[in-house]
Amino acid sequence: MSVVKAEKIGTLIKDNSYVGRGIVIGKSEDGKSAVFAYFIMGRSANSRNRVFVEEGKDVIIHPFDAEKAGDPTLIIYAPIRYYENNIIVTNGNQTDTIYDFLKKGEGFCTALSTREFEPDAPNFTPRISGMITFDGKGDFGYKMSILKAADDEGTACNRFTYSYSALKGIGHFIHTYKCDGNPIPTFEGEPERVLLPNSAKELADDIWANLNEENKISLYVKYVNLEDGSEEKILINKNK
């Protein structure tokens, strides 16, 4: 069986007006850094009224204009949280579910078995999640998950989890939607293999330049040095 060729993320998202929210996790080309990225897009005024804000190492989504903030359900959450040797990255409040389960000594999969896709019929937006786990020996592994509606009526949830060894220059990219539509078609298949450069700026530039200009909102990219724990990060908010 041949392995699917890895491509630059920009190649995968270019000319796709709506991939929704996306998670990237992997290892830099030189093998020196753990890499993760998270971005959000939006079509409605409420969805577009958002910014990423760092609170310590965690990242929280806030309304850009509090006076124009509508229903915060499903759009205001902490996409990135740290717990011990783990970094959690998700597209919803399941970040907190995973965090709480880790605190109880339970795992990523167990936590997500208690959750399902978002209750936003007719789209039934998938919940996508990822987690980096550092092994204390200068390396790491990572998991990714997608929780999807089993049918058009959302009567049941299908759960898919993927576990990866970290390989130089390779990452995996999962996003909520295949493309724009009404209802919006859900992401299909396994997380996509992507090429990861050696700097956060290079990756951030590739993602931000190729996300749809009208619908992109915010992007966060971080590189964690596996030897000394130092970090390189890029935070971009369209709303300034």
Side-chain angles (χ1 to χ4, degrees):
M1 182 183 69
S2 61
V3 177
V4 175
K5 179 182 176 182
E7 299 189 69
K8 293 182 68 173
I9 298 174
T11 302
L12 296 175
I13 62 178
K14 185 179 181 181
D15 301 323
N16 187 337
S17 63
Y18 205 59
V19 293
R21 288 165 273 177
I23 297 171
V24 182
I25 301 178
K27 183 183 280 189
S28 61
E29 185 178 10
D30 58 14
K32 294 181 179 180
S33 300
V35 177
F36 70 90
Y38 181 65
F39 66 79
I40 58 174
M41 305 180 77
R43 301 188 303 175
S44 69
N46 196 33
S47 290
R48 292 176 177 176
N49 183 37
R50 294 185 288 174
V51 290
F52 286 175
V53 177
E54 288 185 295
E55 295 187 5
K57 286 193 171 185
D58 296 348
V59 174
I60 314 297
I61 296 177
H62 286 269
F64 172 63
D65 185 341
E67 293 184 357
K68 296 180 180 179
D71 182 1
T73 306
L74 304 179
I75 65 167
I76 304 300
Y77 54 92
I80 298 163
R81 295 194 70 181
Y82 281 65
Y83 181 73
E84 294 184 342
N85 62 324
N86 303 287
I87 304 174
I88 308 160
V89 188
T90 92
N91 74 324
N93 61 19
Q94 72 268 26
T95 309
D96 296 331
T97 304
I98 297 168
Y99 180 89
D100 291 342
F101 271 68
L102 292 178
K103 285 182 67 176
K104 295 188 294 184
E106 300 185 69
F108 180 81
C109 296
T110 303
L112 291 171
S113 70
T114 69
R115 302 302 304 269
E116 60 179 28
F117 51 88
E118 296 181 0
D120 60 341
N123 296 316
F124 298 118
T125 299
R127 290 191 186 273
I128 55 173
S129 307
M131 187 172 75
I132 295 172
T133 301
F134 296 97
D135 64 8
K137 302 175 183 178
D139 210 351
F140 66 99
Y142 58 101
K143 292 181 171 63
M144 303 187 94
S145 164
I146 184 167
L147 312 180
K148 302 169 60 173
D151 56 28
D152 291 343
E153 290 72 42
T155 60
C157 180
N158 291 336
R159 297 176 172 86
F160 303 88
T161 303
Y162 306 89
S163 182
Y164 298 103
S165 300
L167 303 178
K168 288 183 179 180
I170 298 295
H172 288 88
F173 172 39
I174 192 167
H175 41 100
T176 50
Y177 305 125
K178 182 178 178 180
C179 58
D180 206 345
N182 190 22
I184 315 172
T186 295
F187 177 87
E188 295 178 349
E190 296 182 15
E192 299 165 306
R193 283 168 57 88
V194 293
L195 298 171
L196 295 179
N198 290 329
S199 79
K201 184 179 186 308
E202 186 175 349
L203 179 59
D205 286 348
D206 185 42
I207 296 173
W208 193 248
N210 286 288
L211 285 172
N212 178 267
E213 182 64 31
E214 183 178 1
N215 294 323
K216 65 185 180 183
I217 301 171
S218 297
L219 168 67
Y220 189 84
V221 175
K222 181 173 279 189
Y223 277 49
V224 181
N225 187 284
L226 294 170
E227 183 176 343
D228 62 16
S230 60
E231 300 176 342
E232 179 191 5
K233 61 189 177 184
I234 304 289
L235 189 160
I236 303 172
N237 286 312
K238 188 175 181 180
N239 294 313
K240 297 179 181 179

